[in-house]
Amino acid sequence: MRFSKPKRPITLMEICGTHTMAIAKSGIKNVLPKEVKLISGPGCPVCVTPSSAIDMVLELSKDPHLLICSYGDLFRIPGSQSETLRARPNVRLCLSPMDAIQIAQNNPDKIILFIGVGFETTAPGSAVLIQEARRSQLKNFYFYSLLKRTQPAICALLEKEKTQIDGFLCPGHVAVIIGEKGFEFLPCRYHRPGVISGFEPEDILVSIEVLIQMINQEDPKILNTYDRLVQKEGNTIAQAQIEDVFEVEDSLWRGLGTLPDSGYRLKEKYQDFDARQHFHLPGLENKEPENCQCAAILCGEKAPSQCPLFQTVCTPQDPVGPCMVSSEGACAAAYTYEE
Ligand code: SF4
């Protein structure tokens, strides 16, 4: 495909781990005009989860009466002392949040702790899980919310002093839930264009071309090249599920610090299932592995190859930071496909 010629050097950011992997795998960076730089942002949900959250779950997992349930990548993320959850005998991998209901019902003598990670994409599934726990009258089930909202993270990046992001490849999966309108703040508040994109190489190439055109014309808008799945208003049923169960709260992000209204916590009416209340969990703090550059990578300030540990000390077989662990991490993508 032939791209329009950019009128100036431009930097585009993708904010979705699936885009990061698809871009690396298909070699898209190699065919971009030389004026276009494509960088990764905070789009990998387990990567933005602070180490102190892993530390807290590691501590809880010492209780043999507890079964810790979550998605696979979370169990491979090292805590601040490089320890991971996967070696613990009482962790259970869930392919769907509803697996946790089955585990709770099959293990009435255990306490089930589900760790909810992800963005708006996974929040509806977590909401349904909690509604189902209520319907099933589970007494041995708790939910620890590490769920996050994308908009505050993008705003934080754009409000940094030396921001050099000219446009965004917006995450298709998140947009399925929040709709085109969920990204309208980009042109309205920050005068930046965004294109909601699917995940095939063709989708991404077309979306980048649309971004270049908007930047050339200085006409920032939100455009949607993934309209086979993304509607203007998003999935209003999923939004209602989130609204029923969760309310927004300030949340700590690896790399970005504590961002206002960037997380989801359980509403008062579902407090019976809130792990923070039940286990008296303290707030999280910033404690990242020494020399790991994941924080800078998640902000788009560094590429994986600029980390001194990349490919030497830190590999997918022996990862130091989450960006090398996660199947959606920028370092894992670069290691596997680019370097
Ligand atoms: Fe962190 Fe490893 Fe990536 Fe370096 S290469 S930033 S240590 S994950």
Side-chain angles (χ1 to χ4, degrees):
M1 130 165 214
R2 286 174 69 96
F3 286 100
S4 301
K5 182 161 174 51
K7 289 185 180 167
R8 60 179 173 87
I10 60 179
T11 300
L12 306 176
M13 174 178 272
E14 96 265 352
I15 36 175
C16 168
T18 313
H19 277 151
T20 303
M21 272 292 163
I23 289 164
K25 188 173 181 182
S26 56
I28 281 175
K29 286 181 187 167
N30 299 326
V31 300
L32 295 179
K34 63 179 186 325
E35 298 88 349
V36 177
K37 185 176 170 194
L38 188 52
I39 59 174
S40 301
C44 159
V46 293
C47 301
V48 299
T49 301
S51 299
S52 54
I54 308 295
D55 290 345
M56 194 161 342
V57 182
L58 278 163
E59 189 57 34
L60 288 168
S61 71
K62 289 178 182 166
D63 179 350
H65 294 104
L66 216 60
L67 291 181
I68 314 274
C69 300
S70 194
Y71 311 116
D73 275 353
L74 187 83
F75 296 145
R76 300 180 60 231
I77 301 288
S80 62
Q81 304 302 315
S82 306
E83 203 181 348
T84 65
L85 281 156
R86 67 178 160 171
R88 296 286 161 96
N90 53 343
V91 300
R92 297 289 180 275
L93 172 69
C94 292
L95 298 178
S96 143
M98 299 308 279
D99 293 351
I101 298 285
Q102 198 75 53
I103 293 170
Q105 289 171 336
N106 293 345
N107 296 275
D109 56 330
K110 301 278 188 191
I111 302 290
I112 310 306
L113 173 61
F114 186 90
I115 317 294
V117 283
F119 300 116
E120 291 90 338
T121 326
T122 53
S126 292
V128 172
L129 167 64
I130 289 151
Q131 290 168 334
E132 187 55 36
R134 159 78 50 87
R135 256 191 299 275
S136 306
Q137 300 183 356
L138 292 182
K139 300 287 182 229
N140 62 336
F141 170 84
Y142 297 96
F143 182 90
Y144 181 29
S145 178
L146 297 169
L147 295 166
K148 300 212 180 314
R149 301 175 60 236
T150 40
Q151 177 176 339
I154 300 172
C155 294
L157 288 174
L158 288 171
E159 285 166 18
K160 281 188 168 220
E161 216 172 297
K162 291 184 184 157
T163 294
Q164 286 183 334
I165 309 167
D166 300 294
F168 288 87
L169 205 56
C170 298
H173 295 143
V174 169
V176 168
I177 306 298
I178 67 175
E180 293 173 29
K181 69 171 189 179
F183 293 96
E184 273 163 9
F185 69 95
L186 275 172
C188 295
R189 206 189 305 170
Y190 297 101
H191 206 67
R192 300 295 205 289
V195 177
I196 296 166
S197 176
F199 301 94
E200 298 302 324
E202 297 80 2
D203 291 324
I204 297 170
L205 289 168
V206 167
S207 300
I208 291 171
E209 166 61 13
V210 173
L211 279 168
I212 294 171
Q213 287 177 12
M214 282 196 280
I215 293 166
N216 276 349
Q217 292 158 12
E218 297 182 17
D219 183 21
K221 292 194 270 271
I222 292 300
L223 295 178
N224 177 10
T225 60
Y226 198 35
D227 57 0
R228 58 191 187 271
L229 280 183
V230 175
Q231 319 264 312
K232 176 112 184 131
E233 297 300 315
N235 182 333
T236 52
I237 295 171
Q239 291 166 19
Q241 286 161 337
I242 296 174
E243 173 68 26
D244 175 54
V245 174
F246 296 112
E247 59 193 7
V248 298
E249 65 171 354
D250 298 353
S251 182
L252 178 65
W253 295 57
R254 192 189 299 255
L256 289 165
T258 299
L259 303 180
D261 294 344
S262 66
Y264 288 112
R265 69 173 167 225
L266 289 177
K267 279 187 169 170
E268 183 74 32
K269 62 179 174 172
Y270 290 105
Q271 291 294 298
D272 290 353
F273 300 109
D274 193 344
R276 292 184 208 175
Q277 302 263 341
H278 182 78
F279 298 104
H280 305 290
L281 301 181
L284 300 175
E285 50 184 306
N286 255 328
K287 265 196 296 184
E288 302 312 330
E290 219 175 307
N291 292 329
C292 172
Q293 305 292 311
C294 282
I297 286 169
L298 290 166
C299 296
E301 291 165 357
K302 284 191 176 170
S305 57
Q306 291 174 285
C307 172
L309 309 185
F310 182 69
Q311 281 183 329
T312 52
V313 175
C314 184
T315 64
Q317 293 71 37
D318 195 9
V320 175
C323 296
M324 188 61 91
V325 175
S326 171
S327 56
E328 299 190 337
C331 297
Y335 184 96
T336 309
Y337 298 114
E338 289 178 352
E339 302 297 328

